[in-house]
Amino acid sequence: KNSFGLCCHEITHIFHSTDFEVHRNWLAITHSLPVSKWYHESTSEWTLDYPPLFAWFEYGLSHVAQHFDKKMLVVQNLGYASPATVLFQRLSVIATDVVFIYAVRECCRSVREEKGSKDLLVRPYFILAALLLWNYGLLIVDHIHFQYNGFLCGILLLSVARHLQGRHLEGAFLFAVLLNLKHIYLYIAPAYGIFLLRSYCFTKDNTDGSVRWSSLSLVRLIALGSIVISVCALSFGPFIAMGQLPQVLSRLFPFKRGLCHAYWAPNIWALYNVVDKALSVLGLRLKLLANLPKASMTGGLVQEFQHSVLPSVSPSATLICTLVSILPAVLSIWRCPRGARGFLRCLVVCALCSFMFGWHVHEKAILMAILPLSVLAVESREDAGIFLMLATTGHYSLFPLLFTATEMPTKVLLILLFTLYSFTSLKKLFRGFLLNTLEVTYLLGLIAVEIICEVVYPLLPWKQTLPFVTLLAKSVYCSLGVSYSFIRLYLSILRPTDKPKEL
Amino acid sequence: MDTWSLLSICVLLGLTTRWAVSLNSYSGAGKPPMFGDYEAQRHWQEITYNLPVHEWYFNTTDNNLNYWGLDYPPLTAYHSLLCGHVASLINPDWVELHTSQGFESSAHKLFMRATVLIADLLMYVPAVVLYCFYLSEGSNRKKVCLVLCILLYPGLILIDYGHFQYNSISLGLALWGVLGLGLGWDMLGSLAFVLAVNYKQMELYHSLPFFCYLLGKCFKQGMAGRGLFLLVKIAVTVLVTFTLCWLPFLTDPGQVLQVLHRLFPVGRGLFEVLCGNLHSFYLAATLLAALPSSIKLLTKPTLWQFKLALVNSSLAFFLFSFQVHEKSILLPALPVCLLLGDLPLPAVWFLQASTFSMLPLFLKDGLFVPYAVTSSAFVFYSVYLLSALEHSSEEELQLKSLSLLPFLSQSPGQFYLSVAAMAGLSFMSVALAPPARLPDLFPLLVSVFSFLHFLGLLLYFNVVQIAEPPSPRRKNPKKTE
């Protein structure tokens, strides 16, 4: 069953994207330059903006890369993409995906199944494996768009699996490693922190479920703390010693980018932008407003956003929004912890909050929520329904990542495959319909949106004057679905009554 | 899970694999002056779109037959005409007479690949699905697995979507023919097969079994009554279909002769052919090799015999004919695909060997990675899904009466060994440079290895077909579920 997943990762294409050049550049930087220059180097526009552990990872890869093609390791070779380079990069993604496959196996082993023999295709173990290994988003992003998300998500899933299995120290270690590989996982750190503090450090609860302060186990607390600190020290240590910490942090958190990515991720700010634009147009028409600054929101990659009617949003505002939105979820697992599965739910909610309210969110970030949600989806009927909504909408929102005509059949076929499989397998598992009519209508509307944007709109005369309308339409439509799933998921975590099998 | 959803998933998987392969290079990419089969197909669109019918097969100032002259029957020409019309709607530069020679662009490649996909979807895939559901046996789950394995056969995918050809049309039509005959609709089956022959003349490899099966069926029904009537009906169908296909050329006997000359370039004068030419030797050898199977089919026209005869006859033609292109292995490969459900291990073995035999061609086209991926996926999935290695006992290999072949009891081990050798040779061909004194070492090794496999499997399939007792077969050829 595991090699079944390996086959899907063997479908490598010879595509290029900017991320390809980004990683080639990082290979070059870490190989050719001394450590002190890594975070100062800026020959290329794609500067090193992941934490140091990832830089060490690239350094390790570069030693293998030199056997494929030495020229890719020259920093000045911007845009270098010989076949050997491409082959090496692709192979490196496949090789690191081994981590992902192992993590999936561990997750599947931790999944609870009902008694009674079913045939292989309907067992939760198999369904979860298929949903994770053949996850459309991961396939598209990693293998077609090129990233190491499989590797990173693998570490995340492995950490989750370890917590589900009760091996909390390993889970904490893995998460510390993950944080040092890609700092976007800071958003879900509160879930980890509160869960480990509450459920691991405090060994006993009072009879009514609240925390018993006296049961704080210092040993466990110190063990956890030392693991996390030592991992961070390993990663950041050299840079702190060289006094480069401010420089590293400025590279890691570049707040000069705009509120929304070039292709708007379907989150709150997409809706916010549209409402602002609509209000401004309405205001002009009704002569309520005059001489508004022309809001330019869609040009280029890193432009600032100035809103016309509603207040402009700054990075700190988004941070506050995100923190405020995480708070209730995190508090709820403090006050009534529901074991590892409650933690997982909180993790998904935190990931979704960061997606909804974050600054310069890329639509790839939806994968951080979809993949852990898959684990919950094969265990509970309600979660399966939420999963179907979120996964289908989220995957569809990834469509603009592949925009050439050649990639169109691939992405359509793959999304059909995944959607068809997820719907039929989960329906069979839970024996019944998982979505109500409104949700089904919404999802069918996705097909309509796609047809209108790809087929009908290019034939209309407005294409020249308003070319961004299709992206806007897709983004807004998807954000409705994502918001709906977000609200449902949040309600499920806040609901005090839980079925016993959630524990 | 529902059968239909499983089936859709399998079909989608097949289509995804096809499109993934099509993103790779094609034959003759970037290689002037002659380029390759891709350019040939584009050229035929140009010729058929711009020139009148009576000039398609002739050497004129506008149509240089030395540059990829049309050498397939009229149906290919009509298909090219259709594609040419569509191409001119999208971008006339693609089929502009003379100036579009050697035209290459990513948009054009997308168009050409799309034509292959559409043809496949319309012709081949439905035939495969219908065959698996109506003419094969087993549970629904097994039928869906069969669909997946047939759709994943790498040889056809790599040739059609990589090298670039339209074999899916001719093979699809032949499969419709088999379907028709299998379901008892003899006229429709013959119609489909005649269309297949009129698309690619290599389908004549399959003609002997079709002929013998139908003739045998007529004999069985009694030549005095219904049999004769059936014979007449089939003959009329065949003649009418031929006439319709060749209609534009029938106005002038010179046209017909020229087309035939393009299809079968044997040199002027039938006389030379019959009188001690090398061709006649090969033809005789081929017919001799195909004879036992055809006679057996004549005496016992059942679907099982028919499928085996298709394999034996086309494989004999492939092995013993003169000037056979390696792509023609697809012709025996199609009937072997149909045997995947009944004799999984030999079928998978053959199909793997057939893909392997085309390795030099794939290397020339830069298709090694798709080749490696699709072959490994195919072997893995078919062995796993069809439990090929479990069904390798003597009885299941239909060799009960021939216990004098003891070595076959080690078939699983031999199969692994063979696949490992193929994998090893493949990697060596790509990774190592051949020694200077033997530059063609690897292609030669590939050919010899494949030839031995084909010969062995030809003997095996012949034995299976001929050794079958004349009593009523244990399997019902029509659908049993």
Side-chain angles (χ1 to χ4, degrees):
Chain A
K1 285 151 212 138
N2 297 314
S3 36
F4 152 77
L6 200 66
C7 278
C8 88
H9 289 255
E10 288 175 30
I11 304 177
T12 55
H13 312 296
I14 321 289
F15 284 149
H16 301 295
S17 71
T18 48
D19 279 330
F20 180 84
E21 166 60 18
V22 169
H23 287 277
R24 187 217 60 79
N25 188 38
W26 293 353
L27 277 175
I29 291 179
T30 52
H31 189 87
S32 323
L33 299 175
V35 176
S36 53
K37 291 245 173 37
W38 284 1
Y39 282 92
H40 286 280
E41 170 60 37
S42 55
T43 313
S44 156
E45 57 180 319
W46 311 115
T47 56
L48 197 55
D49 55 1
Y50 277 13
L53 204 57
F54 197 85
W56 292 114
F57 168 67
E58 291 271 9
Y59 179 64
L61 273 183
S62 67
H63 281 289
V64 182
Q66 62 188 353
H67 298 293
F68 277 76
D69 186 348
K70 278 205 155 52
K71 294 220 216 77
M72 77 168 104
L73 298 170
V74 176
V75 178
Q76 277 70 30
N77 279 354
L78 298 180
Y80 184 75
S82 71
T85 313
V86 176
L87 183 66
F88 167 73
Q89 298 273 48
R90 294 279 159 211
L91 286 177
S92 67
V93 176
I94 294 178
T96 50
D97 271 346
V98 167
V99 174
F100 183 68
I101 294 177
Y102 176 68
V104 168
R105 195 171 134 246
E106 288 296 311
C107 272
C108 294
R109 275 175 41 189
S110 327
V111 156
R112 266 200 304 260
E113 298 182 0
E114 284 174 10
K115 290 284 181 285
S117 64
K118 299 190 199 52
D119 76 276
L120 176 66
L121 285 183
V122 193
R123 282 183 54 206
Y125 180 105
F126 182 82
I127 296 181
L128 182 62
L131 288 178
L132 287 172
L133 289 171
W134 285 78
N135 185 290
Y136 169 81
L138 214 52
L139 273 178
I140 294 283
V141 167
D142 258 17
H143 294 278
I144 300 181
H145 198 71
F146 193 87
Q147 282 223 323
Y148 286 102
N149 283 307
F151 171 57
L152 295 169
C153 288
I155 300 184
L156 176 66
L157 284 174
L158 195 57
S159 151
V160 166
R162 289 288 177 254
H163 283 302
L164 286 174
Q165 291 165 354
R167 290 147 75 165
H168 296 290
L169 282 176
E170 288 179 40
F173 169 72
L174 286 165
F175 184 68
V177 167
L178 185 65
L179 258 188
N180 281 294
L181 280 172
K182 193 167 179 184
H183 52 295
I184 199 171
Y185 293 100
L186 262 179
Y187 282 124
I188 52 177
Y192 270 88
I194 301 293
F195 167 68
L196 284 172
L197 196 58
R198 176 73 173 83
S199 304
Y200 184 66
C201 293
F202 289 99
T203 43
K204 287 202 248 304
D205 293 338
N206 286 329
T207 39
D208 64 349
S210 65
V211 63
R212 188 187 290 192
W213 295 98
S214 57
S215 71
L216 174 62
S217 154
L218 271 179
V219 173
R220 289 187 171 186
L221 187 60
I222 292 175
L224 269 181
S226 49
I227 288 178
V228 172
I229 290 178
S230 51
V231 171
C232 291
L234 207 67
S235 144
F236 278 91
F239 296 93
I240 298 179
M242 288 188 287
Q244 285 191 0
L245 193 61
Q247 170 70 2
V248 172
L249 287 177
S250 77
R251 283 287 174 90
L252 253 53
F253 300 102
F255 279 115
K256 291 186 227 43
R257 297 195 195 147
L259 174 65
C260 289
H261 193 73
Y263 309 124
W264 296 358
N267 60 8
I268 280 288
W269 306 124
L271 288 173
Y272 190 84
N273 289 344
V274 161
V275 166
D276 179 67
K277 194 103 177 126
L279 283 180
S280 67
V281 165
L282 206 65
L284 277 174
R285 283 282 172 83
L286 298 177
K287 306 272 193 290
L288 289 171
L289 312 153
N291 299 339
L292 285 171
K294 198 144 172 29
S296 145
M297 306 172 177
T298 48
L301 282 166
V302 293
Q303 287 205 7
E304 296 294 326
F305 280 70
Q306 296 294 333
H307 291 102
S308 331
V309 176
L310 302 171
S312 281
V313 181
S314 67
S316 27
T318 61
L319 191 61
I320 294 175
C321 282
T322 316
L323 286 175
V324 165
S325 60
I326 298 181
L327 221 51
V330 157
L331 276 177
S332 87
I333 62 162
W334 173 269
R335 284 159 52 127
C336 53
R338 276 161 278 174
R341 276 163 179 79
F343 151 70
L344 186 56
R345 193 177 295 274
C346 182
L347 193 152
V348 176
V349 167
C350 288
L352 261 185
C353 286
S354 73
F355 182 81
M356 292 298 291
F357 297 104
W359 178 264
H360 199 81
V361 171
H362 199 289
E363 55 277 356
K364 290 184 286 213
I366 196 78
L367 288 178
M368 195 164 50
I370 293 181
L371 288 173
L373 188 57
S374 321
V375 179
L376 289 174
V378 297
E379 285 185 348
S380 133
R381 191 195 185 86
E382 194 197 337
D383 290 332
I386 303 178
F387 171 77
L388 287 177
M389 265 301 268
L390 185 63
T392 317
T393 318
H395 288 161
Y396 177 69
S397 73
L398 292 172
F399 257 38
L401 275 181
L402 306 180
F403 46 83
T404 67
T406 324
E407 290 151 331
M408 169 71 93
T410 320
K411 67 184 185 189
V412 168
L413 285 171
L414 285 176
I415 203 176
L416 279 177
L417 258 174
F418 183 82
T419 317
L420 189 62
Y421 179 75
S422 55
F423 271 80
T424 44
S425 62
L426 287 175
K427 185 175 126 180
K428 196 72 194 285
L429 181 63
F430 292 109
R431 282 182 284 272
F433 287 107
L434 299 165
L435 302 173
N436 60 36
T437 330
L438 187 64
E439 292 164 336
V440 173
T441 322
Y442 172 81
L443 289 177
L444 287 175
L446 282 174
I447 304 180
V449 167
E450 177 66 9
I451 295 179
I452 293 176
C453 288
E454 295 298 329
V455 177
V456 173
Y457 192 73
L459 301 172
L460 296 176
W462 302 327
K463 184 164 167 66
Q464 269 70 37
T465 48
L466 304 167
F468 56 84
V469 166
T470 50
L471 284 176
L472 196 147
K474 283 185 200 173
S475 170
V476 168
Y477 195 79
C478 290
S479 50
L480 291 173
V482 172
S483 313
Y484 172 76
S485 312
F486 171 65
I487 294 174
R488 274 191 69 185
L489 205 54
Y490 219 109
L491 287 177
S492 79
I493 206 176
L494 291 179
R495 222 175 294 135
T497 55
D498 272 304
K499 307 179 249 313
K501 75 170 191 163
E502 292 287 350
L503 280 165
Chain B
M1 279 173 70
D2 300 331
T3 311
W4 78 262
S5 55
L6 266 178
L7 180 66
S8 320
I9 289 179
C10 291
V11 169
L12 282 173
L13 274 171
L15 292 176
T16 314
T17 319
R18 280 158 162 72
W19 190 257
V21 170
S22 80
L23 295 163
N24 287 286
S25 163
Y26 47 79
S27 111
K31 291 189 191 136
M34 282 303 275
F35 303 93
D37 271 343
Y38 175 89
E39 165 65 14
Q41 299 283 350
R42 189 215 58 73
H43 181 67
W44 294 344
Q45 291 172 10
E46 171 196 339
I47 291 294
T48 52
Y49 178 70
N50 289 301
L51 299 177
V53 178
H54 58 265
E55 279 186 40
W56 288 354
Y57 287 91
F58 281 90
N59 207 355
T60 66
T61 43
D62 285 332
N63 183 10
N64 177 14
L65 288 183
N66 282 331
Y67 184 79
W68 301 115
L70 204 58
D71 53 2
Y72 282 140
L75 227 61
T76 300
Y78 302 148
H79 179 235
S80 300
L81 180 64
L82 180 64
C83 293
H85 273 286
V86 177
S88 68
L89 281 175
I90 304 177
N91 183 349
D93 286 336
W94 293 346
V95 285
E96 201 56 53
L97 196 56
H98 300 312
T99 51
S100 62
Q101 268 188 20
F103 189 96
E104 287 180 294
S105 81
S106 48
H108 185 233
K109 181 179 171 192
L110 182 61
F111 166 72
M112 297 290 270
R113 295 295 193 203
T115 56
V116 179
L117 186 68
I118 293 174
D120 208 356
L121 258 177
L122 289 176
M123 211 48 91
Y124 185 70
V125 175
V128 169
V129 172
L130 287 174
Y131 170 80
C132 291
F133 273 87
Y134 288 107
L135 288 183
S136 72
E137 291 150 27
S139 65
N140 274 344
R141 184 66 62 82
K142 173 142 188 254
K143 293 181 182 182
V144 173
C145 292
L146 204 59
V147 169
L148 182 63
C149 290
I150 297 184
L151 285 181
L152 278 183
Y153 169 55
L156 186 58
I157 300 181
L158 289 165
I159 291 289
D160 267 15
Y161 290 86
H163 183 77
F164 202 93
Q165 282 216 326
Y166 289 103
N167 289 303
S168 52
I169 300 186
S170 59
L171 291 176
L173 282 169
L175 191 52
W176 283 105
V178 171
L179 255 176
L181 295 194
L183 292 171
W185 304 332
D186 299 321
M187 293 215 300
L188 286 175
S190 339
L191 174 75
F193 183 67
V194 169
L195 287 176
V197 171
N198 274 309
Y199 192 86
K200 277 202 180 178
Q201 68 272 30
M202 273 104 70
E203 281 294 328
L204 285 172
Y205 281 24
H206 290 151
S207 55
L208 207 54
F210 270 86
F211 178 72
C212 294
Y213 176 81
L214 288 168
L215 197 60
K217 200 167 165 188
C218 295
F219 282 155
K220 273 241 147 35
Q221 291 186 352
M223 283 313 282
R226 285 181 56 206
L228 189 62
F229 185 48
L230 183 63
L231 188 63
V232 167
K233 273 199 300 188
I234 294 172
V236 166
T237 315
V238 169
L239 281 171
V240 166
T241 319
F242 261 105
T243 317
L244 283 174
C245 289
W246 288 65
L247 204 56
F249 303 96
L250 290 176
T251 50
D252 172 23
Q255 285 277 334
V256 177
L257 275 176
Q258 173 67 2
V259 178
L260 284 174
H261 173 56
R262 289 296 301 166
L263 298 184
F264 305 103
V266 292
R268 286 286 173 204
L270 218 51
F271 200 51
E272 279 96 276
V273 176
L274 293 177
C275 293
N277 194 302
L278 206 57
H279 288 283
S280 59
F281 165 74
Y282 281 102
L283 195 61
T286 313
L287 288 175
L288 208 64
L291 204 60
S293 132
S294 311
I295 293 181
K296 177 79 187 192
L297 178 61
L298 207 58
T299 58
K300 192 178 178 192
T302 62
L303 183 66
W304 175 241
Q305 285 282 324
F306 180 47
K307 290 197 294 198
L308 284 166
L310 280 171
V311 176
N312 288 321
S313 161
S314 45
L315 195 50
F317 270 83
F318 176 79
L319 287 174
F320 299 113
S321 282
F322 186 69
Q323 261 192 359
V324 168
H325 200 290
E326 57 211 335
K327 294 191 294 256
S328 309
I329 194 65
L330 291 178
L331 288 157
L334 176 72
V336 173
C337 282
L338 305 182
L339 291 175
L340 267 173
D342 310 300
L343 297 169
L345 184 61
V348 172
W349 208 336
F350 178 87
L351 293 173
Q352 190 53 34
S354 64
T355 317
F356 175 69
S357 69
M358 293 191 278
L359 179 63
L361 185 66
F362 299 142
L363 287 178
K364 203 162 69 114
D365 290 339
L367 291 170
F368 180 73
V369 171
Y371 157 76
V373 173
T374 46
S375 306
S376 347
F378 175 73
V379 166
F380 175 75
Y381 278 118
S382 45
V383 165
Y384 176 69
L385 288 175
L386 300 175
S387 315
L389 295 171
E390 277 117 60
H391 295 153
S392 58
S393 68
E394 271 190 12
E395 183 192 310
E396 279 163 322
L397 287 179
Q398 308 266 340
L399 292 170
K400 230 179 354 187
S401 51
L402 294 152
S403 48
L404 39 97
L405 294 166
F407 69 92
L408 274 165
S409 60
Q410 277 103 43
S411 334
Q414 291 176 333
F415 174 69
Y416 279 133
L417 210 64
S418 165
V419 169
M422 286 190 232
L425 254 179
S426 312
F427 278 111
M428 282 202 301
S429 305
V430 115
L432 303 176
R437 276 179 308 146
L438 304 163
D440 285 321
L441 178 65
F442 290 124
L444 188 67
L445 282 176
V446 168
S447 300
V448 167
F449 193 82
S450 319
F451 178 76
L452 290 172
H453 276 70
F454 296 150
L455 200 60
L457 284 160
L458 176 68
L459 285 170
Y460 166 74
F461 283 121
N462 265 301
V463 161
V464 172
Q465 183 183 2
I466 294 170
E468 198 195 347
S471 54
R473 270 194 56 237
R474 57 180 175 84
K475 289 185 188 176
N476 187 344
K478 301 264 168 47
K479 78 171 179 150
T480 51
E481 306 231 329

